[in-house]
Each structure stands twice: as structure tokens, then as C-alpha cells.
Amino acid sequence: MAQVITRGRGRHLVRVFLGRDPATGRRRYHNKTIRGTKKQAEAYGRKIQTQVDSGTFREPTRQTVAEFLDHWFEHTARRRVHRETLQEYKAIAERHLKPVLGKIRLGQLTPEHVQQLVTAMEAKKRAPRTIRNAHGVLRNALSRAVREGTIPMNPASAKLVDLPKTRRRELTVLSPKEAAAFVEAARGERWGPLFILLLGSGMRPGEALGLQWSDFEGSSLRIRRALVRSRDGSGKRRLKEPKTRDSRRTVPLPDFALEALRTHRRRQAEEKLRAGAEYEDRGLIFADERGAPLSWRRLTKYEFPWILEEAGLPKIRAYDLRHTCATLLLSAGVNPKVVSERLGHTTVTLTLDTYSSVLPGLQEDATAKLGAMLS
């Protein structure tokens, strides 16, 4: 039975026997000072004694949330996530989690604390997606603490915390006529073939910038890597393998993209001759005049807007070329599964959710075709 020892007015020490230490043979106790009435202390003692008797009791950890996160990054997360993702998790912890929750003892962390984190981020005008990402990192880390028995439940469970709803960004895509005008305007520009390839393949910009000529086979491109920007603040760019198996794929190219790619290859060969020994040939399809990887930010800031202006088109993001490719294919009646594989999506559901705005038109077209067949 738990002992309750009065230590003064409104202070009671609860002492529960935990058994003997298997290494030293010494008696082990759980001690907790309760500030309140003796009945409250006795109730706490009964609760702990029940947990001890059932084998579910875990000694509260003195580790802080910040200390736990650092341990999780070092010993668990680094084995389960990609290095770039791990760096992103650490940045989220330093920027959002530790300033609000870092000093709280892990065993004392409650859903109310996590809700305070959400409220604090909302007060700083953080985007709903940013808040959800920070919450996701915390929830994933704490789930490990639950599995290890360090804490009895996950205080960051989505069922216990109210998170802001994310707003789905409305897709901005080019119509078939606008897409044709874009291709025509891009043909005459130095990096036009890159943007034409994005439109004709639906690949991600990083995947296009990571392409090597050895990936060009016949009329298709094999996607095996992507060019990414380091998150350590150095600004360096490097090649890395895709995060998912579905991102590794082979994409057939339409004629207009093949033509642009072949024109680009001839131009690149001329640049190599002019640069001579100064050209560091890394085999990249898209490289600067010295063979180094291109800067996507620079391309989208200076090159892409010029092509839009030349074509007389409204302002869109360069990434919207990927959306345009998917939308045009779906509108043309291409099977969503085929479009999903072309984009490198993990599931066809993701494709359908992303391009749901196209589906009503497809349904109407399907209905009209069905009516024509049966009438």
C-alpha cells in the first residue's frame, strides 16, 4: 500500500514501493510531494499503486522536450528519414518547437501545452501548413516516447489538438492554346528547352535539373535523381536520390519536347568547345557555361517571366507547368493511373485529389460519350 506522510500544512509525501533493484538488491520507491489535501494525496497513491500492481507504471522522466527531441533526431529519426528531411525536422524544432515547449519536462507535457504551441504560431501569422508540419514533427517524435513507455499517451495526438485547416491552393494552368504559345516562345530562349521539358513531361523542376545525358534513351528520360538545395544555409546544390520508389520512373516525351532537347544538346556541345578545359563535364543535361548545376531561383526570376511576356501569357509559377501537363492529359481522357505514374505520385488518389477541378468536366464528357453509344 502507498504511504502518505504529512510534511506540513497542505504538503504530503506519497511513497510507493516499486520492488528491489535487480542489480543492487536495494529497495526502490516512487516519491511524490502532493500540495493539497490528504485525500488528494491518498487518491494519487492509490492510482500509482494500481499501476505498479498491473505492471503499467513508468517512472516519470526528468528529460525536457528539447532534450528528448535532440535524442530522437540523433538515435531514431536519422535511421528512418532521409538526411534532407532530417535537417528540415531539426530546423522546425529549433524555430518553432523548442522556443515554446523546449523547457517543459517530457512527462509533464500535456495537450494544453501543444495547443499553446499552435496558438503561438497562429499569433505569429504562420501558415496553416507550417503549423501542421511543426505539429507533425512533434507528434511523430512523441509516438516513439509512447512506444518506449516513457510517457503513457501522446499529448500531440491529432484527436487532442485543434489544428488550423489548410486551404487548397487553386491551380493555375495554361489552356491548350496558351501552352502551344508558351512552347513557341520558349524555343528561341537559352533555357527554353528546360521549361518545354517540364511542360511536356510533368516532372518536378529538381528532377529536370538533376538529369544527365545518360538518362536520355530513345524518346524517353529516366528519372533517377534530383538536384536539391542544401538546408544548412550554405546554398550548395547537390544530387540526391528520390524520396520514394514511385519517383524513380521513365517518362516518354512528346515530339515538341524531344525537338527542344536535341536543339539544346547541340547548343551545349558548342558551349563545351568554347569553354575548353574550363568546362567541368558532369554529364548534366542542364548546366551553366562551365558545366555547373543551374540555379532554379535565378531561372524562375529572370528567364521564365521573359518567356511568359514573349508569349503574351498571364503570370504563373514555373511549377505550374507540371500542373498544366497533368491537367491537359486528364482533359484529353488519359487514364488517371497513367498520369499518376508520369508525375511520380505515390498513389492515383493523390493525383485525383490534386486535380479534382478537372474531374467535373471529365464526368460530363464521359456521360456524353455513354449517351452517344447507347442512343
Side-chain angles (χ1 to χ4, degrees):
M1 292 292 294
Q3 289 181 285
V4 177
I5 304 171
T6 301
R7 293 298 195 189
R9 187 174 182 180
R11 292 175 62 247
H12 307 276
L13 173 66
V14 178
R15 201 176 195 207
V16 181
F17 178 60
L18 301 178
R20 293 186 179 273
D21 190 307
T24 64
R26 293 181 178 178
R27 298 170 67 88
R28 296 170 51 248
Y29 292 92
H30 168 67
N31 297 295
K32 174 74 172 180
T33 298
I34 301 296
R35 299 182 182 276
T37 65
K38 189 173 183 179
K39 285 186 177 181
Q40 290 174 324
E42 290 172 344
Y44 176 80
R46 287 193 298 270
K47 183 181 72 171
I48 299 301
Q49 187 66 61
T50 300
Q51 294 177 2
V52 171
D53 294 341
S54 62
T56 60
F57 175 76
R58 294 291 183 272
E59 190 73 39
T61 178
R62 299 182 64 82
Q63 193 177 40
T64 65
V65 172
E67 292 170 342
F68 169 75
L69 287 173
D70 290 339
H71 183 271
W72 183 68
F73 290 140
E74 182 65 25
H75 298 282
T76 303
R78 67 182 303 177
R79 299 195 303 268
R80 302 174 68 90
V81 300
H82 195 276
R83 183 174 64 179
E84 293 291 330
T85 305
L86 180 60
Q87 289 181 354
E88 185 175 350
Y89 284 2
K90 288 182 177 180
I92 288 174
E94 294 296 332
R95 189 177 306 144
H96 304 300
L97 303 182
K98 289 184 179 180
V100 180
L101 307 176
K103 295 182 179 179
I104 301 174
R105 293 277 176 82
L106 183 61
Q108 297 175 348
L109 187 67
T110 65
E112 287 73 21
H113 289 129
V114 181
Q115 193 66 58
Q116 289 172 12
L117 167 70
V118 174
T119 302
M121 293 184 69
E122 288 179 326
K124 293 181 179 180
K125 307 297 182 182
R126 303 299 185 189
R129 184 177 296 277
T130 301
I131 297 175
R132 284 179 166 271
N133 287 343
H135 170 264
V137 172
L138 180 64
R139 185 190 65 242
N140 290 342
L142 294 178
S143 65
R144 181 67 183 183
V146 174
R147 290 196 298 271
E148 293 175 347
T150 306
I151 54 178
M153 50 82 74
N154 192 334
S157 170
K159 297 179 180 180
L160 304 175
V161 181
D162 294 326
L163 296 172
K165 294 183 179 179
T166 56
R167 298 176 183 175
R168 174 169 292 187
R169 181 170 183 169
E170 187 173 345
L171 296 181
T172 303
V173 297
L174 300 176
S175 66
K177 184 177 180 180
E178 290 173 330
F182 178 86
V183 171
E184 187 62 32
R187 282 197 177 108
E189 301 300 324
R190 175 64 187 91
W191 300 114
L194 169 60
F195 297 112
I196 291 175
L197 180 64
L198 294 178
L199 177 61
S201 67
M203 67 178 65
R204 303 174 179 90
E207 294 171 340
L209 294 176
L211 289 170
Q212 295 176 331
W213 286 113
S214 58
D215 301 320
F216 188 27
E217 297 180 347
S219 60
S220 300
L221 280 170
R222 295 184 305 130
I223 300 175
R224 298 293 181 269
R225 71 197 69 82
L227 185 70
V228 298
R229 189 181 182 90
S230 177
R231 298 183 183 274
D232 58 7
S234 64
K236 294 181 178 179
R237 297 180 293 276
R238 66 181 184 85
L239 297 174
K240 78 173 187 68
E241 293 185 356
K243 288 183 179 181
T244 65
R245 178 177 56 83
D246 299 282
S247 294
R248 298 173 63 90
R249 61 201 189 277
T250 299
V251 180
L253 299 180
D255 290 339
F256 70 87
L258 285 171
E259 178 188 348
L261 202 56
R262 289 165 182 151
T263 301
H264 170 73
R265 191 170 198 171
R266 291 192 294 269
R267 186 179 296 173
Q268 188 183 73
E270 295 172 358
E271 289 182 347
K272 288 183 181 180
L273 288 175
R274 287 195 298 268
E278 294 183 4
Y279 194 91
E280 185 181 353
D281 196 349
R282 310 181 193 187
L284 292 173
I285 292 181
F286 299 105
D288 66 16
E289 64 277 3
R290 294 294 181 266
L294 295 176
S295 168
W296 177 246
R297 290 184 178 180
R298 181 175 179 81
L299 289 170
T300 55
K301 185 176 181 179
Y302 299 107
E303 306 290 338
F304 184 67
W306 175 253
I307 296 175
L308 291 177
E309 184 176 342
E310 283 290 297
L313 298 175
K315 291 182 179 180
I316 62 171
R317 301 178 306 159
Y319 198 92
D320 291 329
L321 296 176
R322 171 174 162 87
H323 295 321
T324 296
C325 176
T327 301
L328 293 179
L329 290 174
L330 290 171
S331 300
V334 176
N335 190 304
K337 176 63 175 175
V338 175
V339 178
S340 178
E341 292 173 351
R342 188 179 191 87
L343 298 176
H345 284 169
T346 52
T347 63
V348 69
T349 303
L350 175 59
T351 306
L352 294 175
D353 286 345
T354 304
Y355 303 102
S356 58
S357 59
V358 185
L359 298 183
L362 297 181
Q363 291 287 1
E364 292 174 3
D365 184 54
T367 302
K369 289 180 179 178
L370 181 61
M373 284 189 291
L374 301 181
S375 58

